[in-house]
Amino acid sequence: MSRIAHLSDIHFGGENVEALEGVGAWLALEKPDLIVITGDLTSFGRPGEFGSAAAWVGALTAPLLVTPGNHDTPYLGLIDRLIAPFARYEQGFGPSRDTAWSNGSLTAVTLNTARGAQWRWNWSKGAIGRRQVDGALGRLGGRPAGALGIVACHHPLVEMTGGPMTGRVRGGEAAARRLCEGGADLVLTGHIHAPFAMAYPYGDGHAYAVGAGTLSRRERGAPAGFNLIEADAQTLTVTAQAWIGSRFEVWRSWSLPRRAVG
């Protein structure tokens, strides 16, 4: 069985200190196969926030895959945002695009859906390009038969029904369709600060969108928390863990059937 801890939207500078300490202890005890953090590590993209985020992440011992979110570009400083929006992120976490991790039983790749600037008023919304999807599909296509295929990005590629906010990802639906038809099992996201799991309406119906909540003080109808994803040959189990002030408890869970391996 593979076990993945899915964290998102920590927002250092506005983090939930107690919940963050709790998840750090949980990760040290449970030792998942992979930790995935789907963006918004900072609140305003400030150097001090990145320093705190990098120190916390650097203390984690499990394998780690991180991708930036829209809050990980400089909130102030238009020149920095336009010329090098992910320079501060990359100093702390490495490349902002197209990273990957594999252990034979699962392969995970990142897609950066955040942009420093766009040709629309709200730059916090997402965007994804065809070449990004091509790269992800190439890496997923090379995994062993039966290995779990995971894509991690910040913005949900399609909207969560009844969600507290939108991602409005340009190219999102086309990307989701291609990822589903290309054999992805899970697309892990953040941004909306509410956990969810749902099947995509594409391909064979066995590819799933999974969102994690927040570990910040910016809650939107769901408590601070993270997701635990457990995968065996037949089932993907997503458990949203909620911080209740002294420990994590199960807030909600989903059982998702995996596609059969022919």
Side-chain angles (χ1 to χ4, degrees), residues 46-62:
R46 294 170 175 150
E49 294 171 351
F50 274 116
S52 298
W56 188 83
V57 170
L60 302 176
T61 57

mmCIF file with all atom_site columns, all heavy atoms in Angstrom, residues 46-62:
data_model
loop_
_atom_site.group_PDB
_atom_site.id
_atom_site.type_symbol
_atom_site.label_atom_id
_atom_site.label_alt_id
_atom_site.label_comp_id
_atom_site.label_asym_id
_atom_site.label_entity_id
_atom_site.label_seq_id
_atom_site.pdbx_PDB_ins_code
_atom_site.Cartn_x
_atom_site.Cartn_y
_atom_site.Cartn_z
_atom_site.occupancy
_atom_site.B_iso_or_equiv
_atom_site.pdbx_formal_charge
_atom_site.auth_seq_id
_atom_site.auth_comp_id
_atom_site.auth_asym_id
_atom_site.auth_atom_id
_atom_site.pdbx_PDB_model_num
ATOM 1   N N   . ARG A 1 46 ? 6.772  37.095 0.752  1.00 0.00 ? 46 ARG A N   1
ATOM 2   C CA  . ARG A 1 46 ? 7.855  37.872 1.335  1.00 0.00 ? 46 ARG A CA  1
ATOM 3   C C   . ARG A 1 46 ? 9.053  36.974 1.638  1.00 0.00 ? 46 ARG A C   1
ATOM 4   O O   . ARG A 1 46 ? 8.899  35.793 1.939  1.00 0.00 ? 46 ARG A O   1
ATOM 5   C CB  . ARG A 1 46 ? 7.384  38.546 2.622  1.00 0.00 ? 46 ARG A CB  1
ATOM 6   C CG  . ARG A 1 46 ? 6.315  39.601 2.422  1.00 0.00 ? 46 ARG A CG  1
ATOM 7   C CD  . ARG A 1 46 ? 5.742  40.042 3.747  1.00 0.00 ? 46 ARG A CD  1
ATOM 8   N NE  . ARG A 1 46 ? 4.790  41.136 3.599  1.00 0.00 ? 46 ARG A NE  1
ATOM 9   C CZ  . ARG A 1 46 ? 3.756  41.335 4.407  1.00 0.00 ? 46 ARG A CZ  1
ATOM 10  N NH1 . ARG A 1 46 ? 3.525  40.491 5.414  1.00 0.00 ? 46 ARG A NH1 1
ATOM 11  N NH2 . ARG A 1 46 ? 2.928  42.354 4.219  1.00 0.00 ? 46 ARG A NH2 1
ATOM 12  N N   . PRO A 1 47 ? 10.274 37.533 1.601  1.00 0.00 ? 47 PRO A N   1
ATOM 13  C CA  . PRO A 1 47 ? 11.455 36.720 1.904  1.00 0.00 ? 47 PRO A CA  1
ATOM 14  C C   . PRO A 1 47 ? 11.383 36.031 3.266  1.00 0.00 ? 47 PRO A C   1
ATOM 15  O O   . PRO A 1 47 ? 11.777 34.858 3.397  1.00 0.00 ? 47 PRO A O   1
ATOM 16  C CB  . PRO A 1 47 ? 12.597 37.740 1.847  1.00 0.00 ? 47 PRO A CB  1
ATOM 17  C CG  . PRO A 1 47 ? 12.121 38.783 0.883  1.00 0.00 ? 47 PRO A CG  1
ATOM 18  C CD  . PRO A 1 47 ? 10.637 38.895 1.132  1.00 0.00 ? 47 PRO A CD  1
ATOM 19  N N   . GLY A 1 48 ? 10.918 36.749 4.300  1.00 0.00 ? 48 GLY A N   1
ATOM 20  C CA  . GLY A 1 48 ? 10.828 36.136 5.622  1.00 0.00 ? 48 GLY A CA  1
ATOM 21  C C   . GLY A 1 48 ? 9.858  34.969 5.668  1.00 0.00 ? 48 GLY A C   1
ATOM 22  O O   . GLY A 1 48 ? 10.103 33.966 6.362  1.00 0.00 ? 48 GLY A O   1
ATOM 23  N N   . GLU A 1 49 ? 8.749  35.096 4.940  1.00 0.00 ? 49 GLU A N   1
ATOM 24  C CA  . GLU A 1 49 ? 7.781  33.991 4.880  1.00 0.00 ? 49 GLU A CA  1
ATOM 25  C C   . GLU A 1 49 ? 8.391  32.778 4.199  1.00 0.00 ? 49 GLU A C   1
ATOM 26  O O   . GLU A 1 49 ? 8.207  31.642 4.653  1.00 0.00 ? 49 GLU A O   1
ATOM 27  C CB  . GLU A 1 49 ? 6.525  34.451 4.142  1.00 0.00 ? 49 GLU A CB  1
ATOM 28  C CG  . GLU A 1 49 ? 5.746  35.530 4.870  1.00 0.00 ? 49 GLU A CG  1
ATOM 29  C CD  . GLU A 1 49 ? 4.630  36.124 4.033  1.00 0.00 ? 49 GLU A CD  1
ATOM 30  O OE1 . GLU A 1 49 ? 4.553  35.823 2.818  1.00 0.00 ? 49 GLU A OE1 1
ATOM 31  O OE2 . GLU A 1 49 ? 3.825  36.889 4.587  1.00 0.00 ? 49 GLU A OE2 1
ATOM 32  N N   . PHE A 1 50 ? 9.127  33.016 3.111  1.00 0.00 ? 50 PHE A N   1
ATOM 33  C CA  . PHE A 1 50 ? 9.790  31.901 2.441  1.00 0.00 ? 50 PHE A CA  1
ATOM 34  C C   . PHE A 1 50 ? 10.851 31.274 3.334  1.00 0.00 ? 50 PHE A C   1
ATOM 35  O O   . PHE A 1 50 ? 11.048 30.055 3.311  1.00 0.00 ? 50 PHE A O   1
ATOM 36  C CB  . PHE A 1 50 ? 10.410 32.361 1.121  1.00 0.00 ? 50 PHE A CB  1
ATOM 37  C CG  . PHE A 1 50 ? 9.445  32.326 -0.026 1.00 0.00 ? 50 PHE A CG  1
ATOM 38  C CD1 . PHE A 1 50 ? 9.078  33.490 -0.670 1.00 0.00 ? 50 PHE A CD1 1
ATOM 39  C CD2 . PHE A 1 50 ? 8.905  31.132 -0.469 1.00 0.00 ? 50 PHE A CD2 1
ATOM 40  C CE1 . PHE A 1 50 ? 8.188  33.460 -1.733 1.00 0.00 ? 50 PHE A CE1 1
ATOM 41  C CE2 . PHE A 1 50 ? 8.010  31.092 -1.529 1.00 0.00 ? 50 PHE A CE2 1
ATOM 42  C CZ  . PHE A 1 50 ? 7.656  32.262 -2.167 1.00 0.00 ? 50 PHE A CZ  1
ATOM 43  N N   . GLY A 1 51 ? 11.551 32.100 4.119  1.00 0.00 ? 51 GLY A N   1
ATOM 44  C CA  . GLY A 1 51 ? 12.544 31.551 5.035  1.00 0.00 ? 51 GLY A CA  1
ATOM 45  C C   . GLY A 1 51 ? 11.914 30.619 6.057  1.00 0.00 ? 51 GLY A C   1
ATOM 46  O O   . GLY A 1 51 ? 12.435 29.541 6.324  1.00 0.00 ? 51 GLY A O   1
ATOM 47  N N   . SER A 1 52 ? 10.788 31.030 6.623  1.00 0.00 ? 52 SER A N   1
ATOM 48  C CA  . SER A 1 52 ? 10.087 30.180 7.592  1.00 0.00 ? 52 SER A CA  1
ATOM 49  C C   . SER A 1 52 ? 9.570  28.912 6.937  1.00 0.00 ? 52 SER A C   1
ATOM 50  O O   . SER A 1 52 ? 9.652  27.816 7.508  1.00 0.00 ? 52 SER A O   1
ATOM 51  C CB  . SER A 1 52 ? 8.931  30.954 8.224  1.00 0.00 ? 52 SER A CB  1
ATOM 52  O OG  . SER A 1 52 ? 9.392  32.077 8.942  1.00 0.00 ? 52 SER A OG  1
ATOM 53  N N   . ALA A 1 53 ? 9.008  29.062 5.734  1.00 0.00 ? 53 ALA A N   1
ATOM 54  C CA  . ALA A 1 53 ? 8.475  27.896 5.022  1.00 0.00 ? 53 ALA A CA  1
ATOM 55  C C   . ALA A 1 53 ? 9.584  26.913 4.693  1.00 0.00 ? 53 ALA A C   1
ATOM 56  O O   . ALA A 1 53 ? 9.436  25.697 4.889  1.00 0.00 ? 53 ALA A O   1
ATOM 57  C CB  . ALA A 1 53 ? 7.767  28.350 3.747  1.00 0.00 ? 53 ALA A CB  1
ATOM 58  N N   . ALA A 1 54 ? 10.707 27.411 4.195  1.00 0.00 ? 54 ALA A N   1
ATOM 59  C CA  . ALA A 1 54 ? 11.805 26.521 3.819  1.00 0.00 ? 54 ALA A CA  1
ATOM 60  C C   . ALA A 1 54 ? 12.385 25.812 5.041  1.00 0.00 ? 54 ALA A C   1
ATOM 61  O O   . ALA A 1 54 ? 12.757 24.637 4.969  1.00 0.00 ? 54 ALA A O   1
ATOM 62  C CB  . ALA A 1 54 ? 12.894 27.306 3.093  1.00 0.00 ? 54 ALA A CB  1
ATOM 63  N N   . ALA A 1 55 ? 12.451 26.501 6.166  1.00 0.00 ? 55 ALA A N   1
ATOM 64  C CA  . ALA A 1 55 ? 12.957 25.872 7.386  1.00 0.00 ? 55 ALA A CA  1
ATOM 65  C C   . ALA A 1 55 ? 12.035 24.760 7.849  1.00 0.00 ? 55 ALA A C   1
ATOM 66  O O   . ALA A 1 55 ? 12.488 23.672 8.236  1.00 0.00 ? 55 ALA A O   1
ATOM 67  C CB  . ALA A 1 55 ? 13.130 26.922 8.483  1.00 0.00 ? 55 ALA A CB  1
ATOM 68  N N   . TRP A 1 56 ? 10.729 25.005 7.803  1.00 0.00 ? 56 TRP A N   1
ATOM 69  C CA  . TRP A 1 56 ? 9.778  23.974 8.238  1.00 0.00 ? 56 TRP A CA  1
ATOM 70  C C   . TRP A 1 56 ? 9.802  22.778 7.287  1.00 0.00 ? 56 TRP A C   1
ATOM 71  O O   . TRP A 1 56 ? 9.881  21.635 7.723  1.00 0.00 ? 56 TRP A O   1
ATOM 72  C CB  . TRP A 1 56 ? 8.369  24.564 8.309  1.00 0.00 ? 56 TRP A CB  1
ATOM 73  C CG  . TRP A 1 56 ? 7.376  23.621 8.918  1.00 0.00 ? 56 TRP A CG  1
ATOM 74  C CD1 . TRP A 1 56 ? 7.140  23.424 10.253 1.00 0.00 ? 56 TRP A CD1 1
ATOM 75  C CD2 . TRP A 1 56 ? 6.503  22.717 8.220  1.00 0.00 ? 56 TRP A CD2 1
ATOM 76  N NE1 . TRP A 1 56 ? 6.170  22.468 10.421 1.00 0.00 ? 56 TRP A NE1 1
ATOM 77  C CE2 . TRP A 1 56 ? 5.762  22.020 9.194  1.00 0.00 ? 56 TRP A CE2 1
ATOM 78  C CE3 . TRP A 1 56 ? 6.273  22.456 6.877  1.00 0.00 ? 56 TRP A CE3 1
ATOM 79  C CZ2 . TRP A 1 56 ? 4.800  21.063 8.868  1.00 0.00 ? 56 TRP A CZ2 1
ATOM 80  C CZ3 . TRP A 1 56 ? 5.327  21.500 6.535  1.00 0.00 ? 56 TRP A CZ3 1
ATOM 81  C CH2 . TRP A 1 56 ? 4.609  20.811 7.522  1.00 0.00 ? 56 TRP A CH2 1
ATOM 82  N N   . VAL A 1 57 ? 9.759  23.048 6.006  1.00 0.00 ? 57 VAL A N   1
ATOM 83  C CA  . VAL A 1 57 ? 9.769  21.968 5.028  1.00 0.00 ? 57 VAL A CA  1
ATOM 84  C C   . VAL A 1 57 ? 11.087 21.200 5.083  1.00 0.00 ? 57 VAL A C   1
ATOM 85  O O   . VAL A 1 57 ? 11.116 19.972 4.965  1.00 0.00 ? 57 VAL A O   1
ATOM 86  C CB  . VAL A 1 57 ? 9.507  22.520 3.610  1.00 0.00 ? 57 VAL A CB  1
ATOM 87  C CG1 . VAL A 1 57 ? 9.763  21.464 2.548  1.00 0.00 ? 57 VAL A CG1 1
ATOM 88  C CG2 . VAL A 1 57 ? 8.069  23.037 3.510  1.00 0.00 ? 57 VAL A CG2 1
ATOM 89  N N   . GLY A 1 58 ? 12.189 21.917 5.294  1.00 0.00 ? 58 GLY A N   1
ATOM 90  C CA  . GLY A 1 58 ? 13.490 21.268 5.347  1.00 0.00 ? 58 GLY A CA  1
ATOM 91  C C   . GLY A 1 58 ? 13.653 20.307 6.505  1.00 0.00 ? 58 GLY A C   1
ATOM 92  O O   . GLY A 1 58 ? 14.517 19.430 6.461  1.00 0.00 ? 58 GLY A O   1
ATOM 93  N N   . ALA A 1 59 ? 12.820 20.454 7.530  1.00 0.00 ? 59 ALA A N   1
ATOM 94  C CA  . ALA A 1 59 ? 12.890 19.551 8.674  1.00 0.00 ? 59 ALA A CA  1
ATOM 95  C C   . ALA A 1 59 ? 12.110 18.256 8.455  1.00 0.00 ? 59 ALA A C   1
ATOM 96  O O   . ALA A 1 59 ? 12.219 17.325 9.259  1.00 0.00 ? 59 ALA A O   1
ATOM 97  C CB  . ALA A 1 59 ? 12.369 20.264 9.920  1.00 0.00 ? 59 ALA A CB  1
ATOM 98  N N   . LEU A 1 60 ? 11.325 18.194 7.387  1.00 0.00 ? 60 LEU A N   1
ATOM 99  C CA  . LEU A 1 60 ? 10.561 16.974 7.105  1.00 0.00 ? 60 LEU A CA  1
ATOM 100 C C   . LEU A 1 60 ? 11.506 15.891 6.605  1.00 0.00 ? 60 LEU A C   1
ATOM 101 O O   . LEU A 1 60 ? 12.460 16.162 5.875  1.00 0.00 ? 60 LEU A O   1
ATOM 102 C CB  . LEU A 1 60 ? 9.479  17.253 6.062  1.00 0.00 ? 60 LEU A CB  1
ATOM 103 C CG  . LEU A 1 60 ? 8.464  18.338 6.432  1.00 0.00 ? 60 LEU A CG  1
ATOM 104 C CD1 . LEU A 1 60 ? 7.496  18.573 5.266  1.00 0.00 ? 60 LEU A CD1 1
ATOM 105 C CD2 . LEU A 1 60 ? 7.692  17.968 7.689  1.00 0.00 ? 60 LEU A CD2 1
ATOM 106 N N   . THR A 1 61 ? 11.231 14.653 6.976  1.00 0.00 ? 61 THR A N   1
ATOM 107 C CA  . THR A 1 61 ? 12.140 13.554 6.646  1.00 0.00 ? 61 THR A CA  1
ATOM 108 C C   . THR A 1 61 ? 11.646 12.669 5.514  1.00 0.00 ? 61 THR A C   1
ATOM 109 O O   . THR A 1 61 ? 12.445 11.962 4.911  1.00 0.00 ? 61 THR A O   1
ATOM 110 C CB  . THR A 1 61 ? 12.395 12.686 7.881  1.00 0.00 ? 61 THR A CB  1
ATOM 111 O OG1 . THR A 1 61 ? 11.139 12.196 8.391  1.00 0.00 ? 61 THR A OG1 1
ATOM 112 C CG2 . THR A 1 61 ? 13.087 13.499 8.975  1.00 0.00 ? 61 THR A CG2 1
ATOM 113 N N   . ALA A 1 62 ? 10.355 12.679 5.210  1.00 0.00 ? 62 ALA A N   1
ATOM 114 C CA  . ALA A 1 62 ? 9.842  11.842 4.126  1.00 0.00 ? 62 ALA A CA  1
ATOM 115 C C   . ALA A 1 62 ? 10.155 12.472 2.779  1.00 0.00 ? 62 ALA A C   1
ATOM 116 O O   . ALA A 1 62 ? 10.390 13.684 2.684  1.00 0.00 ? 62 ALA A O   1
ATOM 117 C CB  . ALA A 1 62 ? 8.329  11.640 4.277  1.00 0.00 ? 62 ALA A CB  1
#
